Amino acid sequence: MTDIVAPETTSAPTGWRDRFFAWMPTEVDARVRVFAWLSFIFEVFIIGTGGAVRLTGSGLGCSEWPLCTPESLVPTPEQGIHGIIEFGNRTITGVVGILAIVVLLFTLHIIGGRLAFNTALKFAGIGLGAAVIVFVIAKLTGAEPFPFASAALLLVTIVAAMQSLRTISGRKDLPTLAWIALIGVIAQAFVGGITVLTGLNPFIVGFHYVASLALVCVTAAYLVRMHEVPGPRERAVPKWFAILTHVTGLALVLTITFGVLTTGSGPHSGDANVIRDGFDASVLAHVHSWPGYILTGLVLVLAASAWILRLPVRNWLLVLIVAIGAQVLIGVWQARDGLPALLVGIHMVLAALAAATYTVVVLKMKRSTPSAE
């Protein structure tokens, strides 16, 4: 792999700023890889903690957002274990956000140097200032301030990403993925707040899960691309194989979508008083299984073909078979055993891992052209 070096170098560091930037990575080194992996792991982990919130009936363990109660940021003894579980999930969101920021700043310094790094920090200051101003205005007008403040921060972050990607002259893939991850975390915090404020609306809860799953795929894509040489890429598999792989992706999307709707109509609403989405859970469970079985068949065909043709994605397709096979077994088990909370939680996490593995398969279907190496 050709190292990606920051476009600027510095002389011997003289002040604390120089020493800081001298410490920052100028290529994708061990520090970047460690934080990128931590970002991926915690994106998966927060799906598990979010599932625990829902499956233990702790969705309204904290009645407010971002405070846990109108008077307290942290849960009070009166809220018991439900408050601890809900607040714990919120705390993990902060960890996910910090990791996304670190990966982004490392990436910007590697690709765009000190200028790109400083520009991102300036936008961060603008975003926080805008959030404070909007918060004060909303408070004075009697509106719920935190959703508006979060929306202002999200908007500034999107503008910052667009400006950053427009001005960076190096490779765009890693900064794009890093910006998407950070924007996604901020958006998820906003959606999480709306989820609480709407009393765990099942459709918003479902969207919250799907968005978390998408972020798992984004961080998985970063892990793949950080090892790749930048530049032109060419297809490394036959055209029919690529088409069949994308059809398999559609089956995966349908399986996850109907799975979310099934969970939304099942017994695990996040709180005993929450009204479900109105669908028949038993019917949806069968509908959910149809694309799931089609998905399994397609993955088996892809894996067999990849091994016969010795394609570069063959090992990852075996991983995908394991993930989806486990999903099928657990799905049948939980349906026959009355949807026990633990199995439902495992099913949710495995769905994210299966989607991440599929993302890797898609990215591995292309390779760098000889001129890019």
Side-chain angles (χ1 to χ4, degrees):
M1 177 185 120
T2 302
D3 290 334
I4 304 128
V5 180
E8 60 187 42
T9 57
T10 59
S11 57
T14 57
W16 70 267
R17 288 186 180 87
D18 287 337
R19 288 194 295 270
F20 172 77
F21 282 107
W23 173 85
M24 288 290 290
T26 56
E27 61 183 37
V28 179
D29 60 14
R31 290 168 294 177
V32 181
R33 296 188 184 100
V34 166
F35 277 97
W37 270 104
L38 287 174
S39 183
F40 170 77
I41 291 169
F42 271 87
E43 288 288 3
V44 175
F45 183 57
I46 201 169
I47 287 181
T49 61
V53 170
R54 181 169 191 168
L55 298 170
T56 59
S58 304
L60 296 177
C62 287
S63 59
E64 305 296 323
W65 179 86
L67 300 178
C68 193
T69 71
E71 298 82 21
S72 175
L73 173 64
V74 299
T76 61
E78 293 75 20
Q79 292 170 294
I81 188 63
H82 293 309
I84 295 174
I85 293 174
E86 163 65 5
F87 187 76
N89 184 59
R90 295 184 184 190
T91 303
I92 298 299
T93 301
V95 175
V96 170
I98 292 171
L99 292 171
I101 291 171
V102 172
V103 172
L104 174 64
L105 293 178
F106 277 175
T107 303
L108 291 178
H109 188 261
I110 291 169
I111 307 299
R114 187 181 295 197
L115 178 60
F117 183 96
N118 288 335
T119 300
L121 290 185
K122 290 177 183 177
F123 270 104
I126 294 171
L128 292 174
V132 170
I133 292 171
V134 171
F135 178 92
V136 172
I137 294 174
K139 193 75 173 178
L140 292 175
T141 57
E144 184 65 41
F146 288 106
F148 288 102
S150 300
L153 179 60
L154 178 61
L155 179 61
V156 173
T157 306
I158 293 173
V159 173
M162 295 171 61
Q163 174 67 12
S164 173
L165 296 174
R166 186 181 67 84
T167 56
I168 286 179
S169 58
R171 66 185 295 184
K172 305 287 188 182
D173 56 342
L174 292 181
T176 298
L177 291 168
W179 274 115
I180 291 174
L182 179 59
I183 290 170
V185 171
I186 297 173
Q188 278 292 76
F190 173 74
V191 173
I194 298 299
T195 300
V196 174
L197 296 176
T198 57
L200 303 185
N201 180 286
F203 294 103
I204 298 179
V205 171
F207 175 79
H208 197 40
Y209 169 76
V210 172
S212 294
L213 186 146
L215 288 177
V216 170
C217 295
V218 169
T219 51
Y222 188 100
L223 291 174
V224 174
R225 292 298 300 151
M226 74 179 181
H227 292 288
E228 300 290 339
V229 177
R233 290 161 58 80
E234 61 184 9
R235 195 173 64 244
V237 300
K239 185 176 181 179
W240 66 265
F241 187 93
I243 293 173
L244 187 60
T245 301
H246 290 299
V247 172
T248 302
L250 177 60
L252 178 62
V253 169
L254 290 175
T255 302
I256 292 173
T257 300
F258 284 113
V260 170
L261 291 175
T262 302
T263 303
S265 59
H268 303 295
S269 64
D271 189 90
N273 298 319
V274 171
I275 300 174
R276 311 307 299 151
D277 58 22
F279 296 115
D280 189 320
S282 59
V283 172
L284 274 178
H286 290 290
V287 176
H288 168 51
S289 68
W290 299 338
Y293 291 132
I294 293 172
L295 171 65
T296 303
L298 288 172
V299 171
L300 289 173
V301 171
L302 287 173
S305 302
W307 277 92
I308 292 172
L309 299 174
R310 308 299 292 174
L311 299 180
V313 296
R314 58 187 183 275
N315 290 329
W316 281 105
L317 281 168
L318 290 182
V319 177
L320 188 57
I321 286 176
V322 172
I324 292 177
Q327 277 290 76
V328 171
L329 292 175
I330 292 175
V332 173
W333 183 7
Q334 69 177 8
R336 293 182 176 180
D337 209 23
L339 300 178
L342 179 60
L343 291 182
V344 174
I346 294 174
H347 202 53
M348 292 170 62
V349 173
L350 279 178
L353 293 176
T357 306
Y358 173 79
T359 300
V360 176
V361 170
V362 170
L363 292 175
K364 291 290 185 180
M365 287 196 302
K366 285 190 174 183
R367 64 188 169 206
S368 301
T369 59
S371 61
E373 296 177 353

